[in-house]
Amino acid sequence: MKTEPGAGFFDRLEQRPPAEREQAQFAQARALLARLQVHTAYGQEQLAGFDAAALQGRADLARLPVLRKADIAARQAALRPFGGLTLPDAAPRKVFQSPGPIYEPEGHGPDPWRLARALFAAGFRAGDVVHNSFSYHLTPAGSMLEGGALALGCSVLPAGVGQTELQLQAARELGCNAYTGTPSFLRILLERAGDAPLGLRKALVSGEAFPPGLQDWVAARGVQAYQCYATADCGLIAYETPARSGLVVDEGVIVEIVRPGSGEPVAEGEVGEVVVTRLDAAYPLIRYATGDLSAFLPGPSPCGRSNRRLRGWLGRADQSAKVRGLFVHAGQVQQLRERFPELTGRMRWVIEGQDAQDRFTVLLEAAEPADGWAERLLQAVRDITKLRAELRCVRELPNDGRLIDDRR
């Protein structure tokens, strides 16, 4: 049940004890997994053999396979429209298309992408007039933010992209006091407005980095802007709150941080790939790998919300580089690790050189190897990549999630 807006929280779920949240979310995950195994081609082909009743926590979840965007594209190409990923009784209200093409279903209800929670944390309230500059053409971003704003009782100007002068005119004449869109277009609007008052006072931005310098520039012009992390596949994943201390994970998803190129969870605080389990029946994705890098922050948010927090977007996990005419990628780094489970430190493949004289080095957080150990590892690198490499052991590597470092 939602609290009153004055309480500062969207609903009671945001403050529930973490153990209560985990228990409730994994009960949802068990039910979804069981339905997928019975009613979908994906569940029967990729999730068969897993006991849904045994899905009690994160260690059990980590045993399930990771689902990547390329997997969705391949499945949809073979089985239109949704690749056997959706339940037969979950007919979508709308269908969107992302590059690939990949089709994303929109569920029913007032806020199917769950963006209202992020808008509420950013200060949006009933009666606000929202200038929504996200695209309404094929991709779902415009619909995602509009649905959340309407669920809060806001009015929405569906501005979309382009025609900046007309957007400015409409925003002034309609009295828009709130903005949703990219931070770069917010800056364009404020710059074009010049000395003429625009009336924007609050904003929820996404789709791009929002560096501190731009945050300060926007705030100096009277707009309090917050960030959210959402995708066309998962809907809302995490959102900024007035504490401005990381991004709080949404209540409708389970988020893991895994070693890039694998489904293996990393230690708390380590940078890795964001993997999302979406818990609603409209599009119940199990362990969807976003390709984005982040890390969990320790402890609860100072704002009083009890869910985990992400550091924010820290880069892309699907790293690759071309070495002597052959591609190397993060998944190959994981293959090497699987052959040497005793390697517990970080690993990074570094490519250097110029004028087509590539130098390929494996950096490893470890003591110097004993006799024969280095030779076995480098032979495994050659087996995996078809490339010769050098090995260098180092005391420490940065905690930034980078596995392929192309320095050319």
Side-chain angles (χ1 to χ4, degrees), residues 66-91:
V66 165
L67 179 68
R68 299 191 177 276
K69 187 175 286 289
D71 300 326
I72 295 178
R75 292 196 65 88
Q76 289 192 359
L79 183 61
R80 294 294 186 196
F82 302 120
L85 288 158
T86 55
L87 294 161
D89 59 351

Side-chain angles (χ1 to χ4, degrees), residues 42 65-78 80-83 85 96-105 113 139-140 144 229-235 237 262 273-276 278 283 285-292 316-318:
Y42 172 68
V66 165
L67 179 68
R68 299 191 177 276
K69 187 175 286 289
D71 300 326
I72 295 178
R75 292 196 65 88
Q76 289 192 359
R80 294 294 186 196
F82 302 120
L85 288 158
F96 296 93
Q97 184 195 78
S98 293
I102 293 176
Y103 297 102
E104 293 103 2
W113 305 90
T139 58
M144 291 167 70
Y229 173 27
T231 72
D233 315 276
C234 302
I237 298 173
S262 79
E273 184 175 9
V274 177
V275 168
V276 178
R278 178 174 169 168
Y283 199 28
L285 299 179
I286 305 293
R287 300 201 81 204
Y288 174 74
T290 64
D292 295 321
R316 291 291 295 172
D318 46 358

